[in-house]
Amino acid sequence: MTAVLPILPGATLGVMGGGQLGRMFVHAAQAMGYRVVVLDPAADAPAAAAADEHLCAAYDDPAALDELARRCAAVTTEFENVPAESLRRLARQIRVAPSADAVAVAQDRILEKTFIRDAGLGVVPFTVLHTAADITADACGNTLPGILKTARLGYDGKGQVEVNSLDAVREAFAGLQGVPCILEQRVDLACEVSVVLARGSDGAVRCFPVGENRHVGGILDITVVPARVSAATAATAVDMATQLATALDYVGTLGVELFVLRDGRVLVNEIAPRPHNSGHFTQDATVCSQFDQQVRALCGLPLGSPALLSPVTMLNLMGDLWARGTPNWPAALAQDGARLHLYGKKDARPGRKMGHVNVLAADADAALAAAETVRAVLAGD
Ligand code: ADP
Ligand code: MG
């Protein structure tokens, strides 16, 4: 692969999307001396408050995209649903990483699962459903009981329905407005893990330590690092994620979610073409964070060390925590090893990601126990 000229501190970087991931990218980039422009249609986007400039416009507004290209030396993305066509338009003018093609794969579960399988990596058995006529006993026999997932625009368990029969698939498909879906076999999970990695424009890959993820209601709740899985399982997960990044010719920070089955097999669940919620522990527990790596990869600079400095547990702070009023921040901060990250969102709605706490401790079990204590004291228990 051709080496690119590095974009040095002092330059201006752009980010498509102004959510919390964009905000943390802004913080990392500014810490390294870059200026950052955020493009997001929301006036109160969390990243806009931190950025040097905010282009408040739709993601497919051609004038805004051209303006972003004029102001920036390179552009990255913080969420996968940025129209790939917008990234292509930017890429005709300036450096864009990850590429529109890589983002397009992650935007569509049909393309994504097919790409992963074609790369020779294990995925859960799935059936592609374009229309109701595709719902037949032959096609779906191997994937029931299953989970019906919309091909596009699903996140945090949204756009998913558990189904146990063909009739249930038909009903759920109609309920999802008949948009293209995949029906995935429901598998028996021993645990879920993720590998967050960075890949440079020179093809170098640096993987962060494997995280063990616990979800509640389809939303990530806790990540424990190092994952409490065998060394062989962890090595397999890292190997699979690395293969995938290389097959995608990926440049930037990539999140790879994997299933560890009860029979020991490791399957890829999905990928995120951006920093990942399960990689937030890297802000406090590794030499470089996933956001540092995103900046470095985008700028064509050497990637940093992903080495773990301390076992850690990341606890997501959901809006639900505000049900009984403002969480008890002083009590949480009194816990040794806890570091608080809040995204500056005004409305604490249930199911909304408001922030996270990273808790460092002597080992993974102690970090998990300490994170549970933080959760309890925040809620005033
Ligand atoms: P999202 O884009 O919403 O994160 P995922 O496909 O990752 O969608 O699904 C969310 C969660 O639902 C997963 O992390 C896992 O806990 C559970 N899940 C998804 N697919 C399966 C499956 N095929 N079998 C068992 N559990 C699943
Ligand atoms: Mg997921």
Side-chain angles (χ1 to χ4, degrees), residues 280-365:
H280 290 352
F281 72 89
T282 65
Q283 290 178 306
D284 298 308
T286 53
V287 176
C288 280
S289 77
Q290 61 171 347
F291 303 100
D292 294 340
Q293 301 287 54
Q294 186 182 15
V295 174
R296 290 170 180 241
L298 177 64
C299 293
L301 292 167
L303 298 176
S305 166
L308 192 66
L309 301 172
S310 165
V312 58
T313 291
M314 191 269 332
L315 169 71
N316 259 347
L317 303 178
M318 307 302 295
D320 312 61
L321 200 59
W322 274 250
R324 283 165 22 196
T326 304
N328 189 343
W329 303 125
L333 293 170
Q335 305 298 313
D336 227 29
R339 291 202 71 232
L340 175 65
H341 302 260
L342 286 172
Y343 310 144
K345 297 182 184 177
K346 300 230 160 39
D347 300 327
R349 293 191 294 275
R352 192 175 196 206
K353 290 174 178 170
M354 302 299 291
H356 62 274
V357 179
N358 287 330
V359 190
L360 278 60
D363 59 53
D365 290 330

Side-chain angles (χ1 to χ4, degrees), residues 109 149 155-157 160 192 215 218 257 259 269-271 276:
R109 289 189 200 277
K149 304 182 179 180
Y155 69 99
D156 287 347
Q160 300 194 9
E192 294 186 64
H215 296 78
E257 299 179 13
F259 292 151
N269 172 29
E270 61 171 351
I271 58 175
H276 193 263

Side-chain angles (χ1 to χ4, degrees), residues 110-373:
I110 299 171
L111 292 180
E112 179 180 51
K113 298 269 169 189
T114 308
F115 185 92
I116 297 166
R117 192 179 56 192
D118 291 351
L121 303 171
V123 288
V124 174
F126 65 94
T127 306
V128 175
L129 303 176
H130 286 292
T131 70
D134 295 332
I135 306 171
T136 64
D138 269 1
C140 302
N142 187 34
T143 40
L144 284 172
I147 304 180
L148 186 69
K149 304 182 179 180
T150 58
R152 302 182 73 89
L153 302 175
Y155 69 99
D156 287 347
K158 293 181 179 66
Q160 300 194 9
V161 187
E162 292 203 4
V163 285
N164 297 318
S165 66
L166 271 189
D167 281 342
V169 177
R170 287 194 190 97
E171 192 180 319
F173 187 79
L176 294 169
Q177 268 65 54
V179 296
C181 284
I182 63 167
L183 176 63
E184 257 182 52
Q185 188 185 87
R186 201 151 73 228
V187 291
D188 202 7
L189 303 176
C191 69
E192 294 186 64
V193 298
S194 55
V195 177
V196 177
L197 61 79
R199 186 168 181 276
S201 51
D202 60 354
V205 175
R206 307 296 305 262
C207 293
F208 288 106
V210 178
E212 175 188 340
N213 300 325
R214 203 168 72 197
H215 296 78
V216 174
I219 306 179
L220 184 66
D221 178 42
I222 263 183
T223 300
V224 182
V225 185
R228 294 163 301 168
V229 296
S230 71
T233 297
T236 301
V238 165
D239 198 47
M240 291 171 84
T242 304
Q243 280 186 53
L244 210 44
T246 304
L248 281 167
D249 196 15
Y250 194 84
V251 177
T253 295
L254 177 74
V256 181
E257 299 179 13
L258 304 109
F259 292 151
V260 181
L261 306 193
R262 295 215 181 269
D263 64 12
R265 279 182 301 148
V266 182
L267 305 177
V268 178
N269 172 29
E270 61 171 351
I271 58 175
R274 49 168 172 77
H276 193 263
N277 193 166
S278 71
H280 290 352
F281 72 89
T282 65
Q283 290 178 306
D284 298 308
T286 53
V287 176
C288 280
S289 77
Q290 61 171 347
F291 303 100
D292 294 340
Q293 301 287 54
Q294 186 182 15
V295 174
R296 290 170 180 241
L298 177 64
C299 293
L301 292 167
L303 298 176
S305 166
L308 192 66
L309 301 172
S310 165
V312 58
T313 291
M314 191 269 332
L315 169 71
N316 259 347
L317 303 178
M318 307 302 295
D320 312 61
L321 200 59
W322 274 250
R324 283 165 22 196
T326 304
N328 189 343
W329 303 125
L333 293 170
Q335 305 298 313
D336 227 29
R339 291 202 71 232
L340 175 65
H341 302 260
L342 286 172
Y343 310 144
K345 297 182 184 177
K346 300 230 160 39
D347 300 327
R349 293 191 294 275
R352 192 175 196 206
K353 290 174 178 170
M354 302 299 291
H356 62 274
V357 179
N358 287 330
V359 190
L360 278 60
D363 59 53
D365 290 330
L368 175 56
E372 293 294 6
T373 301

